[in-house]
Amino acid sequence: MSEPLIRTEGLTKRFRSGGGLFSRERVMTAVRDVTLEIARGEVLGVVGESGCGKSTLARLILRLIETTEGSVVFDGTELTALPPTALRAMRKRMAMVFQDPYSSLDPRFTLAEVLAEPFRVQGHDLPNDAVPAMLAAVGLPEALATSYPHQLSGGQRQRVGIARALALHPDLVVLDEPTASLDVSIQAQIIALLADLRDKMGLTYLFISHDLGLVRYFCDRIVVMYLGSVVEVLPNTQAAPRHPYTDALMRSGFAPDPARRREIVPLGGEIPSPFALPAGCAFATRCAFASDRCRRERPPLSQGLSHPVACFHPL
Ligand SMILES: Nc1ncnc2c1ncn2[C@@H]1O[C@H](COP(=O)(O)OP(=O)(O)O)[C@@H](O)[C@H]1O
Ligand code: SF4
Ligand SMILES: [Mg+2]
């Protein structure tokens, strides 16, 4: 098997808050001991409820934030210890598309300026035909080059976000809920565009979503996260879930919008605080199969089953 494009090992991020003269320092774990690989050309999906650590995991992989523990190897290079100049050169090979294309595009810049930005940041000259070519690649007319972001529709803005991410021809693109703020019909067009660009440019995607249906449609493998940990890695979109959490999500037509979570996910029980994670399985408070062992010990992401599952009593 060829080397994966990305390999993380024991990746962990803790955020500290407080700790001044009058407040006790509090430490929360946003990403906990995540080991995973992304193959070249793969679309790896990451799903889980809001706040489970999906965006933090993506930022750690791109080293937009520093890791607390663990390692990220990108195409054979350890990123966590890379000095700034080497990191900047490496950044050319990775890009991110954000959920809200409006807040991620500077309203003062025309589209031509927005699309020139990645070249400027990397100290490259902007090729003459680059802006029209980038607009055409994402299905936008050249005439929009002199428009400002507020003059575009949501779908058009997200096309600009994608064009900007692909400007320097990266290897890895992180798509962080790229269609979550768009209408369903526009969502389908953006997904089709992403699939087309991946084929044409040989891209590797890390596709983050809270919508399991969308992830099952678009991704090759699916990582399921719960409270910062990976609880299951589905090897393909047809695989039956073996973790009780994934199973509950699938049966409920998973769309864990926090506002609707109570209705959609048929799970009782309190969710533990990320400031005080339990010693045992973090899902035990909501799991119908929880045993004494589950409350005492933390289940590792076991490789012995049909696919990786972190559960003592898999389905
Ligand atoms: N910069 C930060 N400082 C403190 N806590 C953070 C920070 N970024 C994220 N968090 C916390 O980490 C947890 C995971 O957040 P996030 O990765 O954004 O989740 P998701 O993308 O799955 O919704 C949340 O509880 C969030 O409040
Ligand atoms: S380890 Fe136990 S509590 Fe955790 S998901 Fe499996 S059965 Fe449920
Ligand atoms: Mg997020």
Side-chain angles (χ1 to χ4, degrees):
M1 212 177 110
S2 67
E3 268 292 288
L5 183 61
I6 301 280
R7 174 181 291 135
T8 77
E9 186 90 43
L11 202 55
T12 297
K13 180 67 183 181
R14 288 188 282 270
F15 290 109
R16 293 170 188 281
S17 58
L21 206 51
F22 303 106
S23 66
R24 199 161 49 87
E25 185 182 64
R26 281 159 53 88
V27 180
M28 70 88 69
T29 308
V31 169
R32 194 184 190 195
D33 196 17
V34 170
T35 297
L36 58 79
E37 293 185 350
I38 311 177
R40 279 165 218 280
E42 179 177 38
V43 181
L44 181 69
V46 177
V47 283
E49 290 161 287
S50 179
C52 73
K54 303 180 297 296
S55 296
T56 304
L57 175 64
R59 288 192 202 108
L60 291 172
I61 288 175
L62 300 181
R63 206 180 144 191
L64 296 173
I65 53 174
E66 298 299 325
T67 57
T68 309
E69 278 163 34
S71 120
V72 180
V73 176
F74 181 94
D75 198 12
T77 301
E78 173 64 57
L79 286 190
T80 52
L82 214 57
T85 29
L87 181 62
R88 201 176 70 143
M90 205 54 130
R91 282 258 165 76
K92 264 195 287 197
R93 302 184 55 192
M94 322 166 188
M96 186 146 171
V97 175
F98 299 89
Q99 172 177 342
D100 180 355
Y102 198 63
S103 62
S104 69
L105 300 177
D106 192 322
R108 298 166 305 167
F109 290 166
T110 64
L111 299 200
E113 287 163 338
V114 166
L115 296 176
E117 178 81 359
F119 293 88
R120 194 186 57 72
V121 169
Q122 285 288 339
H124 295 331
D125 291 333
L126 180 72
N128 270 341
D129 57 350
V131 168
M134 287 158 80
L135 288 170
V138 295
L140 292 175
E142 192 180 329
L144 283 183
T146 52
S147 305
Y148 288 87
H150 75 265
Q151 296 172 302
L152 308 184
S153 68
Q156 286 176 323
R157 282 198 292 264
Q158 195 53 299
R159 285 173 191 267
V160 176
I162 292 166
R164 181 182 56 181
L166 300 184
L168 300 176
H169 221 295
D171 297 309
L172 173 73
V173 184
V174 173
L175 304 158
D176 192 352
E177 313 228 22
T179 61
S181 58
L182 303 174
D183 292 344
V184 173
S185 61
I186 309 294
Q187 196 177 72
Q189 292 170 16
I190 296 291
I191 293 294
L193 172 68
L194 289 169
D196 182 47
L197 290 167
R198 174 203 175 204
D199 289 345
K200 283 188 184 139
M201 299 176 69
L203 302 167
T204 302
Y205 286 155
L206 180 65
F207 182 84
I208 296 173
S209 179
H210 62 263
D211 182 341
L212 188 55
L214 187 59
V215 167
R216 284 190 111 190
Y217 169 75
F218 188 54
C219 300
D220 299 316
R221 288 189 304 141
I222 303 169
V223 166
V224 182
M225 288 184 75
Y226 188 76
L227 273 174
S229 298
V230 173
V231 296
E232 181 157 20
V233 183
L234 294 167
N236 59 63
T237 54
Q238 303 310 315
R242 309 217 39 195
H243 194 284
Y245 178 59
T246 317
D247 184 59
L249 297 179
M250 280 200 184
R251 280 187 288 107
S252 63
F254 190 39
D257 173 345
R260 298 166 62 205
R261 187 160 65 200
R262 287 233 127 66
E263 303 157 36
I264 290 179
V265 181
L267 296 167
E270 284 298 305
I271 305 177
S273 161
F275 287 96
L277 289 173
C281 175
F283 189 57
T285 51
R286 299 165 84 190
C287 182
F289 309 99
S291 64
D292 284 348
R293 185 183 184 197
C294 302
R295 284 182 273 269
R296 249 191 347 258
E297 277 177 61
R298 192 169 160 231
L301 192 64
S302 158
Q303 308 293 325
L305 298 161
S306 52
H307 59 259
V309 183
C311 178
F312 290 128
H313 312 293
L315 304 171

